[in-house]
């Protein structure tokens, strides 16, 4: 049996805009998905993730099945496998659980088949899988989950940035949604108001570029302010809602440096950053609003084979 694990992620800047070629900054977080694979002679793919501890939704199954199908096609191999999933990343909450499941499955399957792939190659295959399951996807999620750290993504180009010492506070609403549906919603809005939505996306791109400079300078106050401006633009696209807004304002009122949705929105999670001394207040404020709060840090560890 081979077990691989990969981290979930948050977006500091640029979700949605990244689907249309603008830059985004995503960070791997210290919450991981683990996928174990055992090849079987029956030729069938079985996924075991139904018990509560698996923390996995049927949405993830689509990615696992598509990953197995893609490996069969790309490497002209026929196989059966028993696949076990365990996750610390709440599913369908904008925290990259699908990408983490996808790249862990690809790595565990290919290793089991004796195929050697580096993490970037796994990320590229994972991006194909996400495109197929979601209709549209940027390379951000699979790349950051495969390589870890802080990643600047622009079109097909990806590069690592220095890792800031930043407490990450996540408020998960528990409201599940499909990334595919939210991407389709934004795509329809863009078709209806092409110049308006393009301008919004391009402003998000400007925010990401400026955010990169502020991160490099260690200016977390400006990073927080830019996150707040980014949130205003996401709200203008209709991907925020009243539950998310309440969490965002609760975090800001409790002194967060910045707060915005992370991932596709319309449900899912809010991301707040705060000074080390303020993490407890922000956590309490979001908990009071009914969120499941996860406090974590940025992970430099990407996809790997577990011992
Ligand atoms: O909600 P998530 O974790 O699936 O993130 C989606 C982020 C988008 O920018 C909306 C789509 C993408 O593929 O980058």
């Amino acid at each position: 049996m081979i077990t691989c694990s990969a981290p979930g992620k948050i977006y500091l800047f640029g979700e949605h805009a990244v689907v249309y070629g603008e830059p985004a900054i995503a960070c791997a977080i210290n919450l991981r998905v683990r996928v174990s694979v055992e090849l079987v002679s029956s030729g069938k793919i079985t996924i075991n993730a139904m018990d509560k501890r698996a923390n996995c939704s049927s949405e993830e199954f689509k990615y696992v099945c598509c990953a197995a199908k893609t490996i069969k096609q790309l490497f002209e191999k026929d196989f059966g496998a028993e696949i076990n999933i365990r996750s610390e990343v709440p599913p369908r909450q904008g925290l990259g659980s699908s990408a983490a499941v996808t790249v862990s499955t690809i790595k565990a399957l290919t290793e089991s088949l004796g195929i050697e792939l580096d993490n970037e190659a796994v990320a590229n295959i994972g991006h194909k899988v996400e495109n197929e399951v979601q209709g549209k996807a940027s390379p951000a999620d699979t790349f950051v989950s495969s390589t870890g750290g802080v990643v600047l993504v622009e079109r097909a180009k990806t590069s690592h940035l220095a890792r800031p010492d930043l407490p990450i506070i996540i408020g998960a609403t528990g409201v599940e949604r499909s990334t595919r549906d939210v991407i389709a919603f934004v795509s329809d809005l863009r078709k209806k108001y092409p110049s308006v939505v393009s301008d919004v996306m391009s402003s998000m791109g400007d925010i990401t570029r400026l955010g990169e400079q502020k991160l490099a300078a260690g200016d977390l106050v400006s990073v927080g302010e830019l996150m707040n401006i980014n949130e205003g633009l996401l709200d203008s696209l209709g991907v925020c809602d009243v539950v998310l807004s309440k969490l965002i304002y609760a975090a800001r009122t409790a002194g967060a440096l910045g707060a915005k949705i992370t991932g596709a929105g319309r449900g899912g999670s809010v991301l707040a950053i705060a000074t080390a001394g303020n993490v407890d207040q922000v956590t309490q404020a979001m908990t009071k609003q009914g969120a499941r709060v996860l406090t974590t840090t940025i992970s430099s560890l990407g996809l790997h084979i577990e011992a």
Side-chain angles (χ1 to χ4, degrees):
M1 187 169 73
I2 294 199
T3 301
C4 291
S5 78
K9 63 100 211 355
I10 49 96
Y11 273 97
L12 275 181
F13 305 109
E15 54 272 87
H16 286 293
V18 71
V19 176
Y20 300 95
E22 295 293 340
I25 297 177
C27 311
I29 51 175
N30 276 309
L31 296 171
R32 299 185 75 81
V33 171
R34 288 180 177 78
V35 176
S36 305
V37 161
E38 179 113 57
L39 294 182
V40 291
S41 54
S42 68
K44 275 192 198 152
I45 302 286
T46 318
I47 307 168
N48 301 314
M50 294 309 285
D51 70 87
K52 268 205 168 135
R53 282 173 309 141
N55 203 12
C56 195
S57 79
S58 58
E59 182 83 357
E60 264 78 36
F61 286 24
K62 293 183 202 158
Y63 291 86
V64 172
C65 292
C66 186
K69 186 191 80 182
T70 306
I71 297 298
K72 284 184 179 182
Q73 284 168 352
L74 277 178
F75 300 100
E76 296 178 350
K77 299 255 186 204
D78 203 14
F79 57 84
E82 219 168 84
I83 301 175
N84 278 284
I85 306 170
R86 289 283 178 276
S87 177
E88 298 161 0
V89 185
R92 303 178 91 182
Q93 292 294 296
L95 300 173
S97 62
S98 309
V101 164
T102 302
V103 298
S104 300
T105 302
I106 293 169
K107 183 75 178 170
L109 279 174
T110 49
E111 277 292 319
S112 304
L113 292 162
I115 300 163
E116 267 186 41
L117 292 178
D118 65 24
N119 282 359
E120 292 204 17
V122 174
N124 288 334
I125 299 172
H127 182 215
K128 280 194 185 65
V129 171
E130 285 216 320
N131 258 323
E132 192 170 331
V133 179
Q134 288 172 202
K136 260 193 189 92
S138 74
D141 283 25
T142 50
F143 188 82
V144 77
S145 190
S146 296
T147 63
V150 181
V151 175
L152 174 73
V153 182
E154 188 161 12
R155 299 186 188 276
K157 233 179 86 203
T158 40
S159 50
H160 278 98
L161 307 178
R163 183 161 60 105
D165 184 17
L166 195 62
I168 299 286
I169 311 159
I170 294 162
T173 61
V175 178
E176 297 191 355
R177 81 287 177 286
S178 119
T179 300
R180 184 190 176 95
D181 293 347
V182 189
I183 290 177
F185 171 83
V186 172
S187 168
D188 288 347
L189 198 73
R190 191 167 171 267
K191 279 182 201 134
K192 196 165 175 191
Y193 306 110
S195 64
V196 176
V197 173
S198 291
D199 284 354
V200 171
M201 300 290 190
S202 129
S203 293
M204 287 183 183
D206 290 344
I207 289 170
T208 299
R209 288 183 197 97
L210 209 50
E212 181 192 355
Q213 290 171 25
K214 300 299 178 191
L215 272 174
D219 179 356
L220 296 183
V221 170
S222 299
V223 169
E225 283 169 356
L226 288 166
M227 283 170 63
N228 291 342
I229 302 172
N230 194 158
E231 169 56 29
L233 295 172
L234 286 163
D235 200 1
S236 77
L237 296 178
V239 297
C240 203
D241 61 28
V242 67
V243 178
L244 291 162
S245 289
K246 277 187 180 162
L247 290 181
I248 288 164
Y249 280 94
R252 288 180 191 164
T253 308
L257 295 171
K260 61 183 272 295
I261 64 164
T262 181
R266 298 202 125 202
S269 302
V270 160
L271 157 73
I273 62 164
T275 54
N278 222 8
V279 171
D280 286 350
Q281 275 117 303
V282 175
T283 303
Q284 278 163 23
M286 289 208 278
T287 308
K288 227 170 153 182
Q289 288 296 328
R292 175 179 171 205
V293 180
L294 305 158
T295 309
T296 183
T297 48
I298 297 173
S299 167
S300 50
L301 183 63
L303 171 65
H304 80 124
I305 302 170
E306 303 239 314

